[in-house]
Amino acid sequence: MSAFACARHFFSGCAAFALTLWVTPVSAADEPVDVELVLAVDVSLSMSPDELEIQRHGYAAALTHDNVLQAIADGAHGKIAVTYVEWAGTNWQRVIVPWTVIASRTDAERVVAQLSAQPPNSARRTSISGALEFGNDLFAESGYQGTKRVIDISGDGPNNQGAPVNLTRDELIKQGIVINGLPLMTRGGFTGAYDVNNLDRYYSDCVIGGPGAFMIPVNDWTQFPEAIRRKLVLELAGPASPQWAAEEAAHPPVVSAQAQPATDCLIGERMWRNRSWMFDSR
């Protein structure tokens, strides 16, 4: 019955009917999945076009790898929901692949096709905190209910714009979100003016967090595809799984989140404020 008809027949009991409609939820329940995974990938100007392509290809290869697909299949629901986001400055985030379920190789190949549909674009500045906040917003509209919510963030420099990254991280952890990291210590791109020593330690102390959080550093671009594959397996399988044990037996231990930060989490902001020239590379 329309609202207009309801108004005309108010005393016939239509008001009670309208009230019932108003309090009854109209949205379907979120679809259950094992993991809701945000893949947040740095595309700041410090990344060369070739490096941007290496990142895209690395994620594409990892998502269709047998070990990753097995980790997905071994979950309680046998499926995950994933979205792929590229980010740079505070207000520059682009969803390249919207929330998509992966439960099979065909699903994974569908995600890869979307990744390959158009080339990546670069943008200025580096706001890890902005990327984390954007990822948090994506969970609210995913339409899925994951047993675990994870933001998988990669980058080649410290936060230099937006809110302090450690404070943003702490807020997301309070909401039950796990943040894992992939620090890119490759010294590539157009300039190294804002590089920091021990980016892996910065990620460990200032970026990653939550139960079981870890990061895997990349010291050379040849390591990138394997690092992505390994990180996805660990994220999807979990610390108690045989796959986690197998990965740790085959590779050096992952670096877990530290209890007490030792790194200056504002080093990127300080470097930006103290720059002596105006060319903006990130």
Side-chain angles (χ1 to χ4, degrees), residues 115-183:
L115 277 180
S116 307
Q118 54 186 339
N121 293 316
S122 294
R124 303 172 65 198
R125 303 293 292 271
T126 300
S127 182
I128 302 174
S129 58
L132 293 178
E133 291 169 352
F134 187 78
N136 186 31
D137 290 341
L138 289 176
F139 287 127
E141 60 189 40
S142 73
Y144 300 96
Q145 182 63 51
T147 304
K148 182 167 63 172
R149 292 180 296 166
V150 178
I151 297 178
D152 177 338
I153 191 159
S154 65
D156 71 343
N159 195 77
N160 63 33
Q161 190 181 38
V165 66
N166 57 321
L167 300 184
T168 301
R169 178 222 26 217
D170 293 346
E171 286 300 314
L172 267 62
I173 292 173
K174 291 178 183 177
Q175 299 177 47
I177 296 169
V178 176
I179 303 165
N180 295 327
L182 193 78

Side-chain angles (χ1 to χ4, degrees), residues 18-188:
L19 179 61
T20 301
L21 290 179
W22 182 76
V23 299
T24 302
V26 295
S27 60
D30 290 341
E31 180 180 349
V33 294
D34 292 303
V35 180
E36 292 174 74
L37 178 62
V38 175
L39 300 175
V41 181
D42 182 6
V43 294
S44 57
L45 287 178
S46 55
M47 308 284 289
S48 72
D50 287 344
E51 291 168 342
L52 296 179
E53 287 295 337
I54 289 173
Q55 287 194 115
R56 285 275 189 97
H57 293 317
Y59 279 97
L63 287 168
T64 54
H65 195 281
D66 288 342
N67 290 6
V68 173
L69 294 174
Q70 187 61 52
I72 295 172
D74 288 344
H77 298 289
K79 57 185 176 180
I80 66 170
V82 62
T83 180
Y84 185 99
V85 178
E86 292 179 340
W87 61 271
T90 305
N91 297 314
W92 204 100
Q93 298 91 24
R94 299 291 184 272
V95 175
I96 306 303
V97 180
W99 284 110
T100 304
V101 166
I102 298 181
S104 66
R105 181 175 297 278
T106 299
D107 295 336
E109 289 172 349
R110 188 178 301 116
V111 171
V112 169
Q114 293 180 76
L115 277 180
S116 307
Q118 54 186 339
N121 293 316
S122 294
R124 303 172 65 198
R125 303 293 292 271
T126 300
S127 182
I128 302 174
S129 58
L132 293 178
E133 291 169 352
F134 187 78
N136 186 31
D137 290 341
L138 289 176
F139 287 127
E141 60 189 40
S142 73
Y144 300 96
Q145 182 63 51
T147 304
K148 182 167 63 172
R149 292 180 296 166
V150 178
I151 297 178
D152 177 338
I153 191 159
S154 65
D156 71 343
N159 195 77
N160 63 33
Q161 190 181 38
V165 66
N166 57 321
L167 300 184
T168 301
R169 178 222 26 217
D170 293 346
E171 286 300 314
L172 267 62
I173 292 173
K174 291 178 183 177
Q175 299 177 47
I177 296 169
V178 176
I179 303 165
N180 295 327
L182 193 78
L184 306 175
M185 304 166 63
T186 55
R187 295 295 187 265

Side-chain angles (χ1 to χ4, degrees), residues 47 202 215 280:
M47 308 284 289
Y202 175 87
M215 65 92 188
D280 181 358

